[in-house]
Amino acid sequence: MSKIDQIEGVAAKDLANAIRALAMDAVEQAKSGHPGMPMGMADAATVLFSQFLKFDASDPRWPDRDRFVLSAGHGSMLLYALLHLTGYDDMPLDEIKRFRQLGSKTPGHPEYGHTEGVETTTGPLGQGLANAVGMAIAEAHLNARFGDALVNHRTWVIAGDGCLMEGISQEALALAGRQKLNKLTVLWDDNAISIDGAVSLSDITDQKARFAASGWNVLSCDGHNMDDVARALDAAVKSDKPTLIACKTTIGFGSPKKAGTHKAHGEPLGPEEIAATKAALGWSGGPFEIPDNIRAAWKKIGSRGVKERGAWAERLKASDHKAAFRAAFDGDNVEAALDALAQYAAKAAAEKPALATRASSGAAIEAMFGALPELIGGSADLTPSNNTLAKGTEDFTPEHRAGRYIRYGIREHAMAAAMNGMALHGGVIPYAGTFLTFADYSRPAIRLAALMGVRAIHVMTHDSIGVGEDGPTHQPVEQIAALRAIPNLFVFRPADAVEAAECWQLALLRDNGPSLLALSRQATPALRDDASANLSARGAYELLPAEGGESQVALIATGTEVALAVKARELLQAQGIPTRVVSAPCFELFDLQDEDYQDEVLGDPNEVRIGCEAAIGQGWYEMFAISDFIGMTEFGASAPAKDVYAHFGITAEAIAEAAKDLLEA
Ligand SMILES: Cc1ncc(C[n+]2csc(CCOP(=O)(O)OP(=O)(O)O)c2C)c(N)n1
Ligand SMILES: [Mg+2]
């Protein structure tokens, strides 16, 4: 006999059955969706929400709430049912009835920013787990900064077999284990079923051993025995390590014909089977009907946190940290960082250092790091190459949570996803580095950052064939174009130290989307002698005008190739051909400018217009209506950078030659 047989005056099983009923009915109505997972995890979720999760449905953004991440995002009806039943304003019954319909609050997979109470966008399996690691990191850091009175919450994850099969789970759990993120708990929906059938078709991993090997506390429970679930959750709360709880469950629990099979995974059960399931569960309501007493009990669960939130608000009011806490969550210190960056830009404009843009970025970070305590840096084991560590910055470790630099290890995917989690948590602004060629490893999480609209800043160095000797594996060719293809991602490729500072300003200012800085390994000359206005802010601008007559040639370039364009301009001017140079550090921002400005920068359509970037030309023709492009059409080669540039014909001479050819054509 279960000890948790009653919750808020009703049978605990009925609370779980309400979730099951809504999941079945919504999927049936939509004629698509995933009923099996919500039905399997309904009992565990009921225990979590009714006994452990710190939340107040009336204030989904309470900063000290526990974070709940549904990493197995296909089970979205579990989350929507919980949000509805506990009384989130955003989730009336009508929205449940409109599951998966255009404009509803109940899209197929949970979308952050679309539905209150959804902490992160999930669906791409495994990423939610890594988001949660980032959330737990943010919590631990802010706890060190502001104390238990203001920051003291947990992060809970529901992950499925699929999340644990994904490679990112290994990266994420290893990072969490190393960091001893003891306020992180993963409930694994251990139902041994995925889409194709039994998990054993493709996987015999001892998941528990895997987590244990990376420093986790590992527990098991019967996912349908609420006492057993509560016992495990209770032990997790007391652990000094992150905890995995293997919840042994039956997918589609309650369905006479489909429970325990992959048939329950991702399709409606059908009216007959729903009726049979409801009968088997002892549930009498028709479609979308929840008995009043069950509804009332869930509502009470939804307001469990009201008192605690009130007490928290009182503590904040009285706290010495109040202003700093508010500033951290509202991003108020960004302004000071912008000033520091402006000072650095002014200095660079005056001193004109010939630096690699990664070094300029490093100096920019150095200049602003003190002004913006919310910045949390890091790198995927490339700190000395990425120039991401401001001098004197201490590491974030279990012993020193106040540290502001994270050793992510060689885990680009989880790093990017953890950065998303940190940004979603709030109170911190994550930036971190790797080589641009490995943007491919981070890409799925960068995509979700763009979809969610969160401020994660990627510092990606070694941005072209200019990498040199490391060769084609390390020389990005198609990455910049591929990144520009992601909606709502700003890709910055600064040309010198002034632009590097400007691009950093723009990345910090973007609180509704991610940014990526593509930065060079090799030194490049200073090009700007005036930093009084942020010229990068308009995406592209005229760096040098034509001289000696009407401009005949416009050379448009980014990053280190702007210096080549400047040299090509000298060659052309010397031959009496008036030539302009346009620097284009951010296509996305240029695209946002009004037509007048764009026309002004692009110039007379009769001009010969040439683009140059040491990468593929995809996107260039559309953006700038160029007539020719000097860049890459194949993979690079291993040799000193200068030789590689010459080998692939990316030189000032080649640009000038192309311009003359077009003028003569
Ligand atoms: C990265 C990624 N690959 C593939 C999918 C498609 N997909 C959705 S659910 C699923 C099976 C997941 O199995 P499991 O986590 O065990 O969920 P269950 O069937 O138990 O609900 C797959 C392959 C996805 N959503 N994300
Ligand atoms: Mg499964």
Side-chain angles (χ1 to χ4, degrees), residues 161 189 191 193-194:
D161 301 302
D189 179 18
N191 61 19
I193 292 289
S194 64

mmCIF file with all atom_site columns, all heavy atoms in Angstrom, residues 161 189 191 193-194, ligand 2:
data_model
loop_
_atom_site.group_PDB
_atom_site.id
_atom_site.type_symbol
_atom_site.label_atom_id
_atom_site.label_alt_id
_atom_site.label_comp_id
_atom_site.label_asym_id
_atom_site.label_entity_id
_atom_site.label_seq_id
_atom_site.pdbx_PDB_ins_code
_atom_site.Cartn_x
_atom_site.Cartn_y
_atom_site.Cartn_z
_atom_site.occupancy
_atom_site.B_iso_or_equiv
_atom_site.pdbx_formal_charge
_atom_site.auth_seq_id
_atom_site.auth_comp_id
_atom_site.auth_asym_id
_atom_site.auth_atom_id
_atom_site.pdbx_PDB_model_num
ATOM   1  N  N   . ASP A 1 161 ? 15.247 7.533  -23.010 1.00 0.00 ? 161 ASP A N   1
ATOM   2  C  CA  . ASP A 1 161 ? 16.321 6.686  -23.540 1.00 0.00 ? 161 ASP A CA  1
ATOM   3  C  C   . ASP A 1 161 ? 17.056 7.405  -24.665 1.00 0.00 ? 161 ASP A C   1
ATOM   4  O  O   . ASP A 1 161 ? 18.282 7.304  -24.802 1.00 0.00 ? 161 ASP A O   1
ATOM   5  C  CB  . ASP A 1 161 ? 15.733 5.381  -24.098 1.00 0.00 ? 161 ASP A CB  1
ATOM   6  C  CG  . ASP A 1 161 ? 14.971 4.594  -23.042 1.00 0.00 ? 161 ASP A CG  1
ATOM   7  O  OD1 . ASP A 1 161 ? 15.563 4.255  -22.011 1.00 0.00 ? 161 ASP A OD1 1
ATOM   8  O  OD2 . ASP A 1 161 ? 13.766 4.347  -23.265 1.00 0.00 ? 161 ASP A OD2 1
ATOM   9  N  N   . ASP A 1 189 ? 13.456 8.331  -17.810 1.00 0.00 ? 189 ASP A N   1
ATOM   10 C  CA  . ASP A 1 189 ? 12.261 7.547  -18.142 1.00 0.00 ? 189 ASP A CA  1
ATOM   11 C  C   . ASP A 1 189 ? 12.749 6.223  -18.731 1.00 0.00 ? 189 ASP A C   1
ATOM   12 O  O   . ASP A 1 189 ? 12.835 6.051  -19.942 1.00 0.00 ? 189 ASP A O   1
ATOM   13 C  CB  . ASP A 1 189 ? 11.403 8.335  -19.145 1.00 0.00 ? 189 ASP A CB  1
ATOM   14 C  CG  . ASP A 1 189 ? 10.160 7.576  -19.561 1.00 0.00 ? 189 ASP A CG  1
ATOM   15 O  OD1 . ASP A 1 189 ? 9.767  6.628  -18.853 1.00 0.00 ? 189 ASP A OD1 1
ATOM   16 O  OD2 . ASP A 1 189 ? 9.575  7.943  -20.606 1.00 0.00 ? 189 ASP A OD2 1
ATOM   17 N  N   . ASN A 1 191 ? 12.103 3.291  -19.856 1.00 0.00 ? 191 ASN A N   1
ATOM   18 C  CA  . ASN A 1 191 ? 11.025 2.409  -20.327 1.00 0.00 ? 191 ASN A CA  1
ATOM   19 C  C   . ASN A 1 191 ? 11.499 1.402  -21.365 1.00 0.00 ? 191 ASN A C   1
ATOM   20 O  O   . ASN A 1 191 ? 10.724 0.581  -21.860 1.00 0.00 ? 191 ASN A O   1
ATOM   21 C  CB  . ASN A 1 191 ? 9.842  3.231  -20.870 1.00 0.00 ? 191 ASN A CB  1
ATOM   22 C  CG  . ASN A 1 191 ? 10.228 4.102  -22.065 1.00 0.00 ? 191 ASN A CG  1
ATOM   23 O  OD1 . ASN A 1 191 ? 11.244 3.867  -22.713 1.00 0.00 ? 191 ASN A OD1 1
ATOM   24 N  ND2 . ASN A 1 191 ? 9.418  5.106  -22.354 1.00 0.00 ? 191 ASN A ND2 1
ATOM   25 N  N   . ILE A 1 193 ? 12.061 1.487  -24.317 1.00 0.00 ? 193 ILE A N   1
ATOM   26 C  CA  . ILE A 1 193 ? 11.423 1.539  -25.643 1.00 0.00 ? 193 ILE A CA  1
ATOM   27 C  C   . ILE A 1 193 ? 11.782 2.851  -26.318 1.00 0.00 ? 193 ILE A C   1
ATOM   28 O  O   . ILE A 1 193 ? 11.818 3.905  -25.668 1.00 0.00 ? 193 ILE A O   1
ATOM   29 C  CB  . ILE A 1 193 ? 9.874  1.467  -25.501 1.00 0.00 ? 193 ILE A CB  1
ATOM   30 C  CG1 . ILE A 1 193 ? 9.432  0.090  -24.999 1.00 0.00 ? 193 ILE A CG1 1
ATOM   31 C  CG2 . ILE A 1 193 ? 9.172  1.817  -26.815 1.00 0.00 ? 193 ILE A CG2 1
ATOM   32 C  CD1 . ILE A 1 193 ? 9.568  -1.046 -26.000 1.00 0.00 ? 193 ILE A CD1 1
ATOM   33 N  N   . SER A 1 194 ? 12.062 2.792  -27.605 1.00 0.00 ? 194 SER A N   1
ATOM   34 C  CA  . SER A 1 194 ? 12.137 4.021  -28.409 1.00 0.00 ? 194 SER A CA  1
ATOM   35 C  C   . SER A 1 194 ? 11.344 3.768  -29.695 1.00 0.00 ? 194 SER A C   1
ATOM   36 O  O   . SER A 1 194 ? 10.530 2.837  -29.744 1.00 0.00 ? 194 SER A O   1
ATOM   37 C  CB  . SER A 1 194 ? 13.589 4.447  -28.649 1.00 0.00 ? 194 SER A CB  1
ATOM   38 O  OG  . SER A 1 194 ? 14.276 3.494  -29.417 1.00 0.00 ? 194 SER A OG  1
HETATM 39 MG MG  . MG  B 2 .   ? 12.111 5.213  -24.118 1.00 0.00 ? 2   MG  B MG  1
#
